[in-house]
Amino acid sequence: MIKDPVLEIKGLNVDYGLGDHAVHAVRDVNLTLHRGEVLGLAGESGSGKSTLAYGLTRLLPPPGVISGGQVIYHQADGPPVDVLSLSHKELRKFRWAETSIVFQGAMNSLNPVHKISTQLIDVIKAHEPTSTPASRLARAREMLSLVGISADRLESYPHQLSGGMRQRVMIAMALALEPRVVIMDEPTTALDVVMQRQILGQLIELRERLGFSVLFITHDLSLLVEFSDRIAIMYGGRIVEEAPAADLYRDSLHPYSDGLLHSFPALRGPRRELTGIPGSPPDQRSMPTGCSFHPRCPKAFEPCADKIPVLGEPNLLGDQARSVACWLHPARETVA
Ligand code: SF4
């Protein structure tokens, strides 16, 4: 069943710097997040995934610039809008009430001198100024309970909570205004594996109850395999493979996806040998020619160093739910 799109990233390009010296951190990215879906985005550090998250929410710090593309948000009660063209006021509403963001280390962004109640209530008040104090308090209590923290912890200061609880408070804040899209950029990386899975399990449960969509960004592909509906893999600023999570796990088509899958132990399913990926991610200031993965690819062959493979439906499978950018699986449209 094809669900409605909520967020469509179309041909997005993000550079650092301008002119001839610009570093192209995100190139021609096309991704669609559907209603109620968890879309995972994986790649090593420096692959461009966080830059993509900052770009699409227009939180990119200088010298980052969006040099092309569109981010179409399908409103629940209005026509689609391009986030990149929103006014400052519209953007403010979009960022919290329509889309909320939890970044890596967000738990450290709680204000240490204010109680959790004050901080949660402030978020609700800023966006719903006509709400009553009693309704704000009730919502704050409800949100805390939703993320598995007893409502009496509302009166705690951040230092009185564990790292896992602080991160849950940030997730409660992100959900307080009932956004339709939640973007999470390595939200649990600072936590231990058990806590990471516990929080993500809870998030998925909440998604089922509240119906929001999630763009979940991490370097740990094994997490995504467990919690996502679909996964996109990013390398050198480009999407190199996109597939339903189960298909990607069972039969990844891109050698880089395969390398990522063999870099992290899976907590469930059959054991995989951990082989990692040889070499280091490319320096974005001087990207390799052709397929940017070719210097590290165990399957590189004749065309790889010269021609950039196009992301498209793999010709061999005719599987419309998947796409890959690799000369081993030429895209359908590139084959005569
Ligand atoms: Fe490897 Fe070539 Fe495929 Fe790139 S295009 S991933 S170098 S086989």
Side-chain angles (χ1 to χ4, degrees), residues 7 9 31 33 37-41 49 52-53 56 181-185 213-217:
L7 203 60
I9 303 168
L31 272 181
L33 178 65
E37 161 181 76
V38 178
L39 172 62
L41 182 61
K49 52 195 194 316
L52 176 68
L56 74 92
V181 175
V182 180
I183 298 172
M184 307 201 121
D185 183 11
S213 313
V214 183
L215 176 61
F216 194 94
I217 300 171

Side-chain angles (χ1 to χ4, degrees), residues 10-19 21-29 51-52 54-56 58 60 63-71 82 84 237:
K10 293 184 173 184
L12 191 68
N13 289 304
V14 182
D15 296 343
Y16 286 108
L18 297 167
H21 299 293
V23 171
H24 307 299
V26 169
R27 300 156 189 233
D28 196 23
V29 165
T51 300
L52 176 68
Y54 281 103
L56 74 92
R58 286 180 53 193
L60 203 61
V65 283
I66 294 169
S67 52
Q70 289 180 307
V71 178
D82 184 357
L84 305 184

Side-chain angles (χ1 to χ4, degrees), residues 254-255 291 293-294 297 299-301 304 309 326-328:
H254 199 284
C291 168
F293 188 55
H294 86 261
C297 181
K299 296 187 175 165
F301 62 116
C304 301
C326 172
W327 288 118
L328 292 170

Side-chain angles (χ1 to χ4, degrees), residues 262-280:
H262 287 88
S263 299
F264 294 94
L267 283 195
R268 299 201 182 95
R271 282 189 168 197
R272 284 177 184 247
E273 193 189 346
L274 295 185
T275 49
I277 305 170
S280 315

Side-chain angles (χ1 to χ4, degrees), residues 129-166:
T130 54
S131 57
T132 63
S135 70
R136 283 177 222 140
L137 179 63
R139 174 89 66 86
R141 293 178 72 87
E142 184 195 347
M143 294 320 295
L144 219 52
S145 310
L146 268 182
V147 295
I149 300 179
S150 158
D152 10 305
R153 299 311 293 258
L154 268 180
E155 292 314 302
S156 301
Y157 288 92
H159 73 271
Q160 295 172 312
L161 305 179
S162 67
M165 285 168 107
R166 290 206 301 272

Side-chain angles (χ1 to χ4, degrees), residues 55-246:
L56 74 92
T57 48
R58 286 180 53 193
L59 287 167
L60 203 61
V65 283
I66 294 169
S67 52
Q70 289 180 307
V71 178
I72 305 296
Y73 174 65
H74 293 262
Q75 303 184 91
D77 51 3
V81 291
D82 184 357
V83 177
L84 305 184
S85 324
L86 293 180
S87 68
H88 195 69
K89 191 173 159 213
E90 291 165 332
L91 196 56
R92 196 173 138 76
K93 176 170 176 271
F94 169 78
R95 282 209 197 117
W96 273 100
E98 307 279 354
T99 296
S100 64
I101 312 146
V102 182
F103 285 117
Q104 185 174 1
M107 57 189 176
N108 299 323
S109 46
L110 285 169
N111 189 326
V113 299
H114 290 302
K115 290 179 180 174
I116 300 304
S117 55
T118 314
Q119 303 191 50
L120 256 171
I121 287 169
D122 275 356
V123 167
I124 300 167
K125 192 175 167 186
H127 291 271
E128 294 175 7
T130 54
S131 57
T132 63
S135 70
R136 283 177 222 140
L137 179 63
R139 174 89 66 86
R141 293 178 72 87
E142 184 195 347
M143 294 320 295
L144 219 52
S145 310
L146 268 182
V147 295
I149 300 179
S150 158
D152 10 305
R153 299 311 293 258
L154 268 180
E155 292 314 302
S156 301
Y157 288 92
H159 73 271
Q160 295 172 312
L161 305 179
S162 67
M165 285 168 107
R166 290 206 301 272
Q167 194 64 321
R168 283 170 207 233
V169 170
M170 289 309 298
I171 293 172
M173 271 193 196
L175 300 179
L177 301 173
E178 298 181 11
R180 295 175 69 228
V181 175
V182 180
I183 298 172
M184 307 201 121
D185 183 11
E186 308 264 12
T188 56
T189 303
L191 306 173
D192 65 65
V193 177
V194 176
M195 185 57 68
Q196 279 189 30
R197 281 173 164 77
Q198 215 178 72
I199 292 182
L200 290 178
Q202 229 155 23
L203 185 78
I204 299 305
E205 216 181 283
L206 288 176
R207 184 270 309 244
E208 269 147 31
R209 281 163 64 187
L210 304 178
F212 51 83
S213 313
V214 183
L215 176 61
F216 194 94
I217 300 171
T218 179
H219 62 281
D220 183 348
L221 188 48
S222 64
L223 266 186
L224 293 185
V225 166
E226 264 182 72
F227 294 105
S228 310
D229 299 307
R230 278 186 311 127
I231 296 177
I233 306 288
M234 210 165 171
Y235 187 81
R238 294 179 190 275
I239 302 292
V240 295
E241 183 165 6
E242 190 185 337

